[in-house]
Amino acid sequence: MLAPAALRALDANDPLRDKRQEFILPEDTIYLDGNSLGPLSKRAQTRVASVVTQEWGDDLIASWNKHSWIDLPTRVGEKIAPLIGASPGQTVCCDSISINLYKLLGAALNLRADRSVVITQADNFPTDIYVADGLSRFLGDRKCRLKSVEAKDIIASLDETVAVLMLTQVNFRSGAVHDIEAITRRAHDAGVLVVWDLAHSAGALPLAMDDWAVDFAVGCGYKYLNGGPGAPAFVYVAERLQEDVSQPLSGWMGHAKPFAFSHDYMPGQGVQRFLTGTPNILSMASLDAALDIFADVSMPQIREKSIALGETFADCVNAKDALTELKLASPQDSQQRGSQLSYSHPQAFAIAQALIAHKVIVDFRAPDIVRFGFTPLYTSYTDVWQAVEKLAEVVRSKVYLQDKYQQRSKVT
Amino acid sequence: MLAPAALRALDANDPLRDKRQEFILPEDTIYLDGNSLGPLSKRAQTRVASVVTQEWGDDLIASWNKHSWIDLPTRVGEKIAPLIGASPGQTVCCDSISINLYKLLGAALNLRADRSVVITQADNFPTDIYVADGLSRFLGDRKCRLKSVEAKDIIASLDETVAVLMLTQVNFRSGAVHDIEAITRRAHDAGVLVVWDLAHSAGALPLAMDDWAVDFAVGCGYKYLNGGPGAPAFVYVAERLQEDVSQPLSGWMGHAKPFAFSHDYMPGQGVQRFLTGTPNILSMASLDAALDIFADVSMPQIREKSIALGETFADCVNAKDALTELKLASPQDSQQRGSQLSYSHPQAFAIAQALIAHKVIVDFRAPDIVRFGFTPLYTSYTDVWQAVEKLAEVVRSKVYLQDKYQQRSKVT
């Protein structure tokens, strides 16, 4: 375990250290929950104020042209594209992950009309499963049959009945990472299309949609991309599929000429046709501004620090006698996990609450996980060390047994 | 035609006159486009700043509980409910009109599985048609067949093959109003469910979802409700249908217990199950704040002034020789039109551009309509008179023939 002085030295030499100035974080708080909700940045704050007061307030409806509101879904998509290894013309920002998954599953089923099975992982994020389940109930078993399998059985499940495989790269509970390239290749060998959910990947891990021959992907705007609460999600559709693809949620923003107000739907160019309704300008502009923070950093650079932060955290935990009752629920190998560490404990909920009360913001994930997210743009090595100090104090003192830490809220 | 002095007297006696103070409108501008994008209000401006800086910035992830972000879709829905004549438990705020139409069409088809035809009106708003068309292409003709009919043929089209009738109450071009109660009754007589699009109705016309026995409705947050650009839409589902209804876009926010993270989808209580993904908090909070402006006014009061504004406008137009070349494209009877007046002219696009340059903000709607929206909360009788004065000047001078007014922008 590194001594605090050594951690301070790491911070001093951290090439990303100045990025913290981009963010407005409450004082004395260690925020290890950027994988749930990225924090406010100065850019987002300024931009939202300007969109509200100048663009909406002064320029009103003219802003659709004057401030290019109409291009925001494309512009934001193209800012996300380099973060996920996508060349231009394949990424748009819109709607939520749930809704975008529905579009992509529908699109994949349309392209594989002779097959009906949708495979997903049994411990995928619930909304992914709910969306596929809803689609399957809506279309009927003959057209869409959902099968949930264990991680180890994914490859074996890919046969000639399978239309689409839908997976999340980084497991929301454990942080375990899938090898997108290898799984996609195996899926393609079986004629299966793959929809990747990058919720816990985009902005955290180096990604290479194009090089890995990914078909479809969705991702989140409000976690590592710091777009703000409920910021819109994004969609990636590989160029090679765009000409033939159609998706079920066709709306006016996906039309080739939305303002021709024509009676017949004519899908827009390429990924444009994955847009549906009017974009949420306030939320999307906030994301647009926050993405500029990534302009001069590389994803490998972020990943390198993320791994170092995670390893520092794990080392500090391992060095504390009080913390032996926490069980690592993430892969041991830091290359095999996302930008988080999860530990299980029977009192995980109350421990998370007590930590939050002590200004270390973490997540509880049912049934028994405390989740620590590492966000290299604004988290220091010293933060990580301090977080473990507080964690050890909470666990050692059993302060979490107090009633106030045991009470469940609506959102956990 | 009333003299300017008489109009000033009407303004002085207008019971809604103080409401204008709620809004931040640019000086010297007459805004007759609140039916495209409602203006910024002081409440929305303050609220968005506070959500960004205090809630997101200071309280971060805790805001889902602390500031009840998680309840926003329901809370905003319940604020909209009285404006549409809905008792509690039937309205939620979420997503866009396009996406919500998809949910409701899916829900209606699920309830009428023995029928397949979806009827809509040939000149319905394009996105409504595109959504139904996309659904029909996705499900196939056997499950969903879209038929577009003329307004006069709607009732005659309702037979035992028809599952659902989807109509917009106020036509976006002409402003012609459907009688929701009468059409819904005739549809029910034929065993047909009805989905009403209230885009140009909510906040403009008195509505009575419950009393009119409406099945399903959607509406817009950014027009008469002033929620801001791309503010989320809303969904109404009649209580009597809620127990049996299911919708295709099932996501975690529509789950009975989203944070149990359970594998199986269990639909939430009632209209809650029409939620899908994570709500856009910035956009939704803006709408939430703007809705408070309606707290102490009644919809009949708004309608009364809206009709008076429209009649004043029409009288002023009729009194101008220069304006005989404009043809009324809205119903003559003000009871039969929404809160707008539309006029056709071969140079409608350029006239609209020239008017906007002269600070009368209106809409062009292809192919040949200039659309004037009347919004009683912030539009005065004097505004309306001045707008016609400027319109007459633009038309008489033919200033609209200048190149700069002929150039098309991306959004028209």
Side-chain angles (χ1 to χ4, degrees), chain B residues 345 347 350-351 354 394-395 397-406:
Chain B
H345 189 284
Q347 288 282 348
I351 291 172
V394 160
V395 172
S397 67
K398 294 202 192 300
V399 65
Y400 59 79
L401 292 175
Q402 293 179 14
D403 276 358
K404 61 181 173 187
Y405 301 132
Q406 300 277 337

Side-chain angles (χ1 to χ4, degrees), chain A residues 137-153:
Chain A
R137 280 180 287 109
F138 191 49
L139 291 180
D141 256 11
R142 213 177 46 80
K143 280 188 149 184
C144 176
R145 199 146 49 90
L146 179 63
K147 282 191 194 171
S148 296
V149 302
E150 300 301 318
K152 64 177 173 47
D153 300 323

Side-chain angles (χ1 to χ4, degrees), chain A residues 280-319:
Chain A
N280 284 116
I281 299 303
L282 304 190
S283 295
M284 206 175 285
S286 173
L287 173 57
D288 186 40
L291 282 165
D292 288 338
I293 300 169
F294 286 89
D296 57 357
V297 293
S298 76
M299 288 312 306
Q301 199 177 13
I302 287 176
R303 176 65 168 161
E304 189 184 352
K305 182 176 169 191
S306 153
I307 285 181
L309 289 171
E311 290 181 347
T312 302
F313 188 95
D315 288 350
C316 291
V317 167
N318 292 338

Side-chain angles (χ1 to χ4, degrees), chain B residues 357-373:
Chain B
H358 290 77
K359 300 207 166 189
V360 179
I361 315 300
V362 299
D363 256 340
F364 163 73
R365 281 296 172 255
D368 64 350
I369 298 284
V370 188
R371 194 175 73 171
F372 303 87

Side-chain angles (χ1 to χ4, degrees), chain B residues 54-136:
Chain B
Q54 277 82 52
E55 301 185 11
W56 177 18
D58 290 345
D59 294 323
L60 289 155
I61 190 75
S63 295
W64 286 102
N65 290 309
K66 188 171 174 184
H67 301 290
S68 296
W69 286 352
I70 195 67
D71 296 322
L72 262 181
T74 303
R75 210 162 68 235
V76 176
E78 294 302 1
K79 271 190 198 172
I80 294 168
L83 304 181
I84 63 169
S87 57
Q90 303 174 107
T91 315
V92 283
C93 177
C94 54
D95 301 318
S96 62
I97 284 193
S98 304
I99 284 166
N100 291 333
L101 280 171
Y102 188 94
K103 297 177 195 171
L104 294 184
L105 288 174
L109 287 170
N110 284 341
L111 289 171
R112 288 288 179 276
D114 53 330
R115 301 177 173 205
S116 62
V117 174
V118 175
I119 301 277
T120 194
Q121 193 174 329
D123 62 347
N124 198 345
F125 189 73
T127 209
D128 298 52
I129 298 174
Y130 303 159
V131 166
D133 183 48
L135 180 61
S136 142

Side-chain angles (χ1 to χ4, degrees), chain A residues 6-269:
Chain A
L7 296 169
R8 280 196 296 275
L10 281 175
D11 284 330
N13 292 312
D14 173 10
L16 295 173
R17 69 182 179 282
D18 292 342
K19 286 288 172 188
R20 187 173 179 127
Q21 303 309 318
E22 294 273 2
F23 296 91
I24 302 171
L25 284 154
E27 278 189 43
D28 305 327
T29 295
I30 299 171
Y31 194 60
L32 302 182
D33 211 4
N35 51 342
S36 255
L37 174 65
L40 176 63
S41 61
K42 292 173 188 168
R43 291 170 193 267
Q45 187 183 45
T46 306
R47 177 69 176 281
V48 172
S50 141
V51 169
V52 168
T53 301
Q54 277 81 53
E55 300 185 11
W56 176 18
D58 290 346
D59 295 323
L60 289 155
I61 191 75
S63 295
W64 285 102
N65 289 309
K66 187 170 176 185
H67 302 290
S68 297
W69 285 353
I70 196 67
D71 296 322
L72 262 182
T74 304
R75 210 162 68 235
V76 176
E78 295 300 2
K79 271 191 198 173
I80 294 168
L83 303 181
I84 63 169
S87 57
Q90 303 175 106
T91 316
V92 283
C93 177
C94 54
D95 301 318
S96 62
I97 284 193
S98 304
I99 284 166
N100 290 334
L101 280 172
Y102 189 94
K103 297 177 195 171
L104 294 184
L105 288 173
L109 287 170
N110 285 341
L111 289 172
R112 288 287 179 277
D114 54 330
R115 301 177 172 205
S116 63
V117 174
V118 175
I119 301 278
T120 194
Q121 193 173 330
D123 62 346
N124 198 345
F125 189 73
T127 208
D128 299 51
I129 298 175
Y130 302 160
V131 166
D133 183 47
L135 179 61
S136 141
R137 280 180 287 109
F138 191 49
L139 291 180
D141 256 11
R142 213 177 46 80
K143 280 188 149 184
C144 176
R145 199 146 49 90
L146 179 63
K147 282 191 194 171
S148 296
V149 302
E150 300 301 318
K152 64 177 173 47
D153 300 323
I154 291 169
I155 299 299
S157 74
L158 302 171
D159 62 30
E160 70 292 342
T161 66
V162 179
V164 48
L165 170 63
M166 173 186 71
L167 292 175
T168 301
Q169 188 197 14
V170 178
N171 185 278
F172 78 107
R173 279 201 184 88
S174 69
V177 171
H178 278 305
D179 182 336
I180 293 184
E181 185 175 24
I183 293 176
T184 302
R185 193 184 314 117
R186 297 295 291 269
H188 287 176
D189 289 347
V192 175
L193 292 163
V194 193
V195 175
W196 283 102
D197 180 343
L198 307 174
H200 288 269
S201 311
L205 302 181
L207 298 166
M209 294 300 103
D210 292 350
D211 289 349
W212 296 341
V214 165
D215 303 305
F216 300 106
V218 298
C220 184
Y222 57 77
K223 295 180 185 290
Y224 296 100
L225 302 185
N226 309 307
F234 66 85
V235 168
Y236 165 90
V237 178
E239 195 174 9
R240 67 181 178 284
L241 301 174
Q242 290 180 5
E243 205 173 319
D244 300 322
V245 79
S246 63
Q247 61 97 1
L249 286 165
S250 46
W252 69 322
M253 288 296 138
H255 193 278
K257 293 179 178 170
F259 296 93
F261 295 107
S262 79
H263 181 276
D264 296 314
Y265 183 71
M266 187 165 67
Q269 271 289 319

